[in-house]
Amino acid sequence: MLGRCSHPNVVKLLAACLDPRQPCLVMELCETSLEALVFKHEPGAAPTLLPLVTVLTIAIDICNALSYLHPTIIHRDLKVGLFTLLVCAMS
């Protein structure tokens, strides 16, 4: 199912091994995660807030991806660590 998905806000599935002894997925490589972008800061330094435009752009992209997937795929466990980002798409 995921291998047939083609949307700019959904990570591409490149290959899969469905052998029950060693299942694996090969996914598109993304530069960072949303969790790293939101919570990463230098030790001892105060965390910096993302600009509002960046936050809204990321939120809209996530909503677009979920809307695209929703007719067939329902995700019940959404959290910041599950979202990966292509840094060039946010610039």
Side-chain angles (χ1 to χ4, degrees), residues 9 34 57-68 78 83 85:
N9 302 117
L34 182 56
T57 300
I58 292 170
I60 290 169
D61 288 347
I62 290 170
C63 290
N64 286 334
L66 292 173
S67 176
Y68 170 78
L78 297 177
F83 296 98
L85 304 173

Side-chain angles (χ1 to χ4, degrees), residues 5-74:
C5 291
S6 177
H7 189 274
N9 302 117
V10 176
V11 176
K12 291 172 185 54
L13 175 65
L14 302 175
C17 175
L18 303 177
D19 182 349
R21 294 171 292 163
Q22 191 173 17
C24 75
L25 300 174
V26 179
M27 307 292 288
E28 173 183 19
L29 178 65
C30 294
E31 286 88 7
T32 189
S33 71
L34 182 56
E35 183 174 33
L37 188 66
V38 170
F39 297 115
K40 187 176 180 182
H41 60 278
E42 297 298 319
T48 57
L49 295 176
L50 294 173
L52 181 59
V53 172
T54 303
V55 171
L56 294 176
T57 300
I58 292 170
I60 290 169
D61 288 347
I62 290 170
C63 290
N64 286 334
L66 292 173
S67 176
Y68 170 78
L69 293 172
H70 182 67
T72 12
I73 300 171
I74 297 175

